Amino acid sequence: MIWPAHPGLEGARVLGLLWQLERSQWWTPERLAERQLVQLRRLLEHAGAHVPLYRERFARAGFDPRAGVTWDAFRRLPLLERHEIQETGEALCSEAPPPRHGRIRTAHTSGSTGRPISVRVSEATGFYWRVFSVREHLWRDRDFYARYAMIDTGAADGEYRGWDAALGAAFWTGAIVTLGSERPIAEQARWLLRRSPAYLQTYPSNLAGLARYFVDHGLLLPRLREARTYGEVLPGDTRALARRAWGVPVTDFYSCRELGPIALQCPRYEHLHVQSESVVVEVLDDAGEPCPPGAVGRVVLTGLTGYAMPLVRYAIGDYAEVGPPCPCGRGLPVLRRVLGRQRNLVTLPDGSRHWPTFPAEGWLAVAPVRQLRLVQRSVTHIEVEYTAPRTLAPGEQQRLAQWLCGRLGHSFRIAFTRVAAIARAPNGKFEDFVSEIAR
Ligand SMILES: [Zn+2]
């Protein structure tokens, strides 16, 4: 049978979960929260019984999930910091993971600072995560027969038959072509011209580098329909840049190695919808209270499917802005944008802090710079590394410093160094601004 098709076992499982997600996305926020609480209670019961760290924590807090879980009680539980995952290790792992959740693998996330954390993920959890990526494909209404290109850290130069396993289990898909993001931009560009994909997935900084290369060299990708970004904060100007280079929209995807998909871009707007069926997302102010729409706070995550290593109220280190309910009608909560980490905050001499952004059209207008990276060394001093075909003249440096100070909100002392290439973080990601004093 080709039509209507008769899915195999794995396809049936994917479609079975998708069918539920197709419905739950339209539920009211109240109904979603109610179902989350039912699942949360199950997870916390398991954590309290079988995970040493939570057994001890819950006992100390006088919290017994078997007696029922309310949102108030949940929000009083202590946060789990990243360094605690690094330090506690085994104490966070379940002594009796449910056998039906399948084999457990260990995933390592090196992070931008190079301090790795290890998390355990069951087959069941991995399956949930993959189905959310299928949801994302369906939200964008992508043409599954078209060619998909992915430029990712450490990826081999290759061509494979299906886009990915979960999608392929339920739908026919075309080929995926992959390349390592460590390759020079010019080489990536030649590869893209040869492959001519309909979709391109890569990091925002890599996408911006490619878009600028295509604009500078007057090159086109006539088949490209959409760019898809993940893994780093998407700067506001990258969407405009992709439109200028290829005439395509950018779709962003907020996820992490520890907890899989966190929020997907709305099919109709540029903000993100929290994936409430997989993760509880809290955005908290400095006092630990939930932020109202329009406010920025710390992102705190609780995975709903991770029994092998429950992460309860995990402060991942990101900051995000809460958005109002979405006019598209989905009840999934809205994150208006993800702003990055504490170390991406600039601190001014008066003690105030904000997340600076450096739209490329600004610096391109004053100097022939290809890429910039700023490091704040003190409240008065910032060092800038840049790549460019030649060293900037003193006048260009002065104009660039002036523009940067405008973006930073203060007249910092700025020192420039031209480098052959700007080093990426150990996880292959790029941050254009890092503060050494933000803590
Ligand atoms: Zn929406």
Side-chain angles (χ1 to χ4, degrees):
M1 284 294 296
I2 291 175
W3 185 87
H6 177 235
L9 185 60
E10 185 64 5
R13 293 175 70 216
V14 169
L15 293 170
L17 184 49
L18 268 177
W19 184 82
Q20 297 177 66
L21 298 181
E22 284 295 303
R23 289 167 173 249
S24 57
Q25 63 185 331
W26 304 108
W27 290 356
T28 61
E30 294 74 25
R31 188 167 175 208
L32 282 163
E34 183 196 308
R35 298 313 294 170
Q36 281 186 319
L37 202 56
V38 172
Q39 175 59 30
L40 201 52
R41 178 177 175 180
R42 254 317 160 79
L43 179 83
L44 296 178
E45 278 176 4
H46 182 87
H50 301 297
V51 181
L53 181 110
Y54 294 113
R55 201 155 50 212
E56 190 257 329
R57 274 196 178 181
F58 292 177
R60 203 163 6 120
F63 171 68
D64 183 0
R66 287 169 304 183
V69 175
T70 62
W71 285 113
D72 279 345
F74 172 73
R75 291 192 185 111
R76 281 196 300 270
L77 292 173
L79 299 185
L80 180 70
E81 303 287 344
R82 196 181 151 83
H83 69 87
E84 291 181 290
I85 302 184
Q86 282 163 331
E87 288 151 15
T88 50
E90 287 292 311
L92 258 174
C93 298
S94 171
E95 296 160 343
R100 289 183 62 196
H101 285 207
R103 280 224 322 252
I104 293 166
R105 67 181 168 88
T106 303
H108 302 282
T109 141
S110 63
S112 319
T113 53
R115 296 196 357 158
I117 64 172
S118 303
V119 289
R120 293 203 193 165
V121 181
S122 70
E123 263 176 60
T125 297
F127 173 75
Y128 273 89
W129 294 356
R130 290 196 300 277
V131 174
F132 282 92
S133 80
V134 178
R135 168 190 253 181
E136 202 265 351
H137 286 308
L138 294 174
W139 275 11
R140 308 315 308 181
D141 200 17
R142 296 192 178 113
D143 172 4
F144 296 156
Y145 289 98
R147 179 178 284 177
Y148 195 99
M150 183 167 73
I151 303 181
D152 194 11
T153 318
D157 182 355
E159 173 160 359
Y160 308 91
R161 267 181 64 189
W163 286 12
D164 69 56
L167 189 66
F171 301 92
W172 295 103
T173 75
I176 182 168
V177 290
T178 62
L179 188 71
S181 55
E182 335 37 66
R183 306 290 184 93
I185 287 289
E187 187 186 332
Q188 292 183 35
R190 282 195 300 275
W191 178 85
L192 281 170
L193 288 167
R194 223 165 42 239
R195 297 296 199 168
S196 194
Y199 302 101
L200 168 60
Q201 173 181 336
T202 193
Y203 298 130
S205 56
N206 200 53
L207 187 76
L210 281 166
R212 278 197 290 276
Y213 187 92
F214 274 76
V215 170
D216 287 352
H217 293 80
L219 300 168
L220 297 169
L221 285 177
R223 291 213 182 93
L224 194 69
R225 297 181 207 176
E226 181 190 351
R228 187 185 180 205
T229 54
Y230 66 105
E232 298 169 349
V233 171
L234 177 66
D237 64 323
T238 304
R239 291 183 190 276
L241 201 55
R243 246 181 226 292
R244 205 166 87 217
W246 306 299
V248 302
V250 175
T251 304
D252 197 32
F253 185 113
Y254 178 34
S255 65
C256 68
R257 285 275 180 83
E258 301 92 309
L259 287 165
I262 302 166
L264 307 178
Q265 187 175 315
C266 174
R268 283 175 51 193
Y269 300 92
E270 288 181 354
H271 52 232
L272 303 163
H273 278 293
V274 168
Q275 298 303 287
S276 298
E277 302 94 337
S278 176
V279 63
V280 176
V281 176
E282 301 171 83
V283 180
L284 304 179
D285 65 17
D286 288 341
E289 295 299 318
C291 290
V296 171
R298 293 176 85 182
V299 176
V300 172
L301 305 168
T302 302
L304 288 171
T305 66
Y307 287 65
M309 184 169 158
L311 296 180
V312 179
R313 306 201 79 212
Y314 168 43
I316 187 169
D318 290 329
Y319 285 73
E321 180 183 334
V322 178
C326 183
C328 78
R330 286 175 181 79
L332 302 169
V334 171
L335 298 180
R336 204 165 82 77
R337 60 202 171 120
V338 178
L339 290 124
R341 307 231 155 172
Q342 192 173 30
R343 64 172 173 276
N344 307 130
L345 277 167
V346 60
T347 306
L348 307 190
D350 66 4
S352 64
R353 302 192 301 181
H354 66 97
W355 279 273
T357 57
F358 308 96
E361 67 263 25
W363 40 269
L364 287 172
V366 291
V369 169
R370 296 252 175 272
Q371 199 180 19
L372 278 175
R373 183 168 182 270
L374 288 75
V375 179
Q376 180 169 25
R377 303 276 187 209
S378 73
V379 287
T380 54
H381 182 205
I382 286 181
E383 288 179 12
V384 178
E385 286 183 334
Y386 67 94
T387 60
R390 58 171 172 79
T391 303
L392 298 185
E396 288 171 328
Q397 289 194 10
Q398 200 189 344
R399 282 195 299 277
L400 185 56
Q402 217 165 36
W403 181 80
L404 289 170
C405 288
R407 304 298 303 179
L408 291 160
H410 177 73
S411 296
F412 286 96
R413 194 153 49 82
I414 294 188
F416 290 95
T417 312
R418 181 176 162 228
V419 293
I422 290 178
R424 286 176 172 268
N427 60 0
K429 293 176 188 173
F430 175 75
E431 295 170 323
D432 59 6
F433 181 90
V434 177
S435 170
E436 291 184 342
I437 60 166
R439 279 166 220 288

